[in-house]
Amino acid sequence: MMGWVDIARTCAAAACAALVATTAMAQDPVRIERIQAAFDTWTAEHAAKGTGAIAYEGDVIGTIDSGIDPATPIELASLSKAITGVCVRVLFEEGTLHYNDSTVTLLDRDPPATVGQLMTHSAGFADDVTQRAMPGWLGDPTHRAAEAADMLQGADGPPNTFIYNNANYALLALMIEKVTGTTYEEACRSRVLDPLGITTAKPSPQSGAFLSWGGWSMTSEDYARFHAHWFGATVPTGFDPRGQPNVDLGEDVFYGTGTLFRSYNRRYNFWHHGSLCILDGLEVGAFAVTWEAKWTLVVGYDKCLPWDALFALDAALTEAVYGAIE
């Protein structure tokens, strides 16, 4: 059975294998049509419907309609973590929050875990307590970060080792609220989303309880604007991800700022899948990728699918963008 780190490496390998020397131009209508066709084929193969957006060097240049209107907000699921991670980075730049600040000093909570450890899922929390609680929180958008933190029984895994756990980003939300004196939503919206003119972002009516780790919703166009900017070439989160907390997953794959990344062609590729798989409640997925600060693709779909299907999505979209055009 594949672990989370193995899955991350596999996604990264799929994303890079097809990155050939082809020059992809922003207004290439054939390439945009290929992206739509690739997503149409993938959704049809999995009996799903979906939507998405395409950006080039920060500008949205197209949308994807595979049965869901592009104006419909999508469930971001774990793509929400990137909003929290970027928010932490902005607060660090303000001097408001520091990577070595801990849960003990800011929240009076044991066991001690630093901001940097929480950002990189290396605080030693192995038991993801949110997974048991999330089904009961569906349908109420009240952020449940405090409840999730209260459920933690202590660090039950090895410290400074990557263990993906939603509770890390619940604790980060509480630390953000402590240093800003406002809600997590307001603190991060005003610093991360509003400056980009993003207007559709809100706690999901269904999953908003998971906001800081999995409960944001917005249109795919707006998330493409977020992803293209913050993981582009003009800000440290995009051009210097190794200069902020990150953890090495091996094979040149890293996790930091709420996303996976790897170096490529003197720049970086950033990507992440998100899924909410709550039986009889909410089954959705999303995927976002920015390659080399150039192309950004964001898609959302109405199914919870296995990892081999997500690898296939990664590969199909990569081929659509970077494959040679005859």
Side-chain angles (χ1 to χ4, degrees):
M1 180 177 179
M2 297 180 73
W4 211 97
V5 173
D6 300 311
I7 290 163
R9 290 173 182 158
T10 303
C11 289
C16 281
L19 289 183
V20 296
T22 304
T23 299
M25 301 304 293
Q27 301 300 334
D28 182 346
V30 175
R31 208 169 300 276
I32 294 172
E33 289 172 5
R34 284 184 13 166
I35 295 168
Q36 173 72 66
F39 193 56
D40 282 345
T41 299
W42 183 85
T43 52
E45 288 174 349
H46 298 287
K49 296 179 181 179
T51 187
I54 307 161
Y56 187 82
E57 294 186 343
D59 295 324
V60 175
I61 60 171
T63 57
I64 302 169
D65 182 343
S66 295
I68 296 178
D69 187 335
T72 304
I74 63 172
E75 294 277 351
L76 293 177
S78 282
L79 304 191
S80 301
K81 291 183 177 73
I83 297 172
T84 304
V86 170
C87 186
V88 169
R89 172 66 192 194
V90 174
L91 288 167
F92 170 80
E93 291 173 353
E94 291 177 3
T96 304
L97 187 62
H98 304 281
Y99 297 141
N100 61 355
D101 286 342
S102 80
T103 51
V104 173
T105 57
L106 285 185
L107 304 177
D108 194 27
R109 285 179 180 268
D110 282 318
T114 68
V115 169
Q117 288 175 318
L118 295 171
M119 287 179 72
T120 57
H121 297 287
S122 58
F125 299 121
D127 181 18
D128 190 346
V129 295
T130 68
Q131 299 295 338
R132 296 188 292 276
M134 285 162 63
W137 293 341
L138 275 181
D140 179 357
T142 304
H143 193 195
R144 300 298 186 97
E147 288 93 326
D150 287 342
M151 292 169 63
L152 285 169
Q153 298 299 310
D156 51 348
N160 301 314
T161 300
F162 180 84
I163 308 171
Y164 192 82
N165 191 324
N166 291 331
N168 292 307
Y169 277 67
L171 284 166
L172 283 174
L174 298 181
M175 298 171 96
I176 289 168
E177 291 181 342
K178 181 69 174 181
V179 299
T180 62
T182 188
T183 66
Y184 158 82
E185 180 187 350
E186 175 55 31
C188 295
R189 180 190 298 280
S190 63
R191 289 168 171 83
V192 175
L193 304 176
D194 288 350
L196 304 182
I198 290 172
T199 59
T200 63
K202 64 179 182 179
S204 162
Q206 292 181 284
S207 65
F210 328 147
L211 190 60
S212 57
W213 68 88
W216 282 98
S217 70
M218 66 182 78
T219 62
S220 53
E221 286 186 74
D222 269 350
Y223 195 79
R225 292 183 181 95
F226 160 81
H227 209 269
H229 174 78
W230 290 108
F231 300 119
T234 62
V235 291
T237 46
F239 68 71
D240 186 27
R242 295 297 308 279
Q244 48 216 313
N246 66 91
V247 61
D248 188 345
L249 304 184
E251 300 181 21
D252 195 35
V253 179
F254 301 85
Y255 185 97
T257 325
T259 189
L260 293 154
F261 67 90
R262 70 180 304 156
S263 61
Y264 189 80
N265 271 353
R266 299 183 181 181
R267 288 188 172 179
Y268 290 90
N269 299 336
F270 298 86
W271 75 98
H272 210 287
H273 290 275
S275 297
L276 288 171
C277 302
I278 302 174
L279 294 177
D280 300 320
L282 184 61
E283 297 189 47
V284 294
F287 176 61
V289 58
T290 291
W291 291 289
E292 304 176 82
K294 294 179 180 178
W295 287 89
T296 297
L297 301 185
V298 176
V299 295
Y301 47 91
D302 65 352
K303 291 281 185 176
C304 178
L305 295 168
W307 279 107
D308 59 350
L310 306 190
F311 301 156
L313 173 62
D314 185 329
L317 294 179
T318 304
E319 176 64 23
V321 172
Y322 283 97
I325 293 178
E326 298 178 359

